[in-house]
Amino acid sequence: HANCCLKDKSLKACDIVCIPFILYKNNSLLKDNYYDKIIIISFNNKILQVLNIHGIWTADKKGDERTIKECQFVVDTALKKDLPTIITGDFNLSPQTESIRIINKHFTNLIDKFKIQTTRPDFKDNIEEGNNVVDFIFVNSKIKVNDLKCFTLI
């Protein structure tokens, strides 16, 4: 199905299309991550855009110039199409970072809206500690979400 959905006119013929995207700056590869995808879903004659992100890892989860550029790229990519849009994934960033604020300017942060306290299991290793928020779900105004809960599986 991927080939049939590269043009907007043919999206209606497809059920699900998955398009990888790569972050470049001045033709130089900043991040090549096969987990990052733009997914276009067609159902009941409606189209939904989903961007799935696995963010650049920084040890302190505060981000850096690369994560700021990555989040701006994600916003710019999502806004190219006037579609109901979901941005989701493991951003590897704390909620109060400049990088996340960039997305918050354009999309509703469901983790904030529904006061989710953690998106990670409770753990501690030599690198980082769990029981915090680094995973996010954002939606635009064309998506209505009534409730969101995160559960810890034991």
Side-chain angles (χ1 to χ4, degrees):
H1 279 132
N3 290 337
C4 76
C5 291
L6 295 177
K7 296 180 181 175
D8 286 349
K9 291 179 184 176
S10 62
L11 281 172
K12 293 176 184 170
C14 297
D15 297 320
I16 299 177
V17 175
C18 198
I19 307 164
F21 64 94
I22 300 171
L23 178 58
Y24 283 90
K25 178 188 175 199
N26 300 327
N27 294 324
S28 174
L29 185 63
L30 247 176
K31 179 183 171 206
D32 181 6
N33 187 335
Y34 65 91
Y35 293 114
D36 295 346
K37 302 281 190 263
I38 303 170
I39 304 163
I40 306 293
I41 303 169
S42 175
F43 59 96
N44 295 335
N45 294 321
K46 295 181 182 178
I47 298 173
L48 172 67
Q49 173 178 241
V50 180
L51 285 80
N52 182 55
I53 311 303
H54 189 249
I56 296 170
W57 187 83
T58 57
D60 59 7
K61 306 295 185 215
K62 293 180 181 175
D64 56 23
E65 183 180 328
R66 295 171 308 144
T67 64
I68 289 170
K69 289 176 183 171
E70 177 182 43
C71 288
Q72 187 61 59
F73 177 80
V74 168
V75 167
D76 293 344
T77 301
L79 293 176
K80 284 181 183 177
K81 295 189 181 293
D82 186 26
L83 294 171
T85 298
I86 300 169
I87 301 172
T88 187
D90 178 356
F91 283 77
N92 285 311
L93 293 165
S94 296
Q96 55 277 48
T97 61
E98 177 59 29
S99 301
I100 294 299
R101 281 194 294 269
I102 288 169
I103 303 174
N104 287 342
K105 289 177 191 173
H106 301 276
F107 294 87
T108 300
N109 183 333
L110 297 182
I111 301 302
D112 282 350
K113 180 178 179 178
F114 292 102
K115 298 177 179 26
I116 303 298
Q117 298 298 308
T118 182
T119 59
R120 310 205 44 213
D122 188 19
F123 72 88
K124 189 172 188 175
D125 60 23
N126 292 332
I127 300 171
E128 57 187 326
E129 208 168 309
N131 202 19
N132 57 17
V133 173
V134 296
D135 308 291
F136 295 89
I137 304 169
F138 302 91
V139 296
N140 66 4
S141 60
K142 296 176 187 252
I143 304 270
K144 180 181 177 189
V145 178
N146 295 323
D147 197 12
L148 176 68
K149 296 195 183 334
C150 291
F151 300 94
T152 302
L153 299 176
I154 299 174

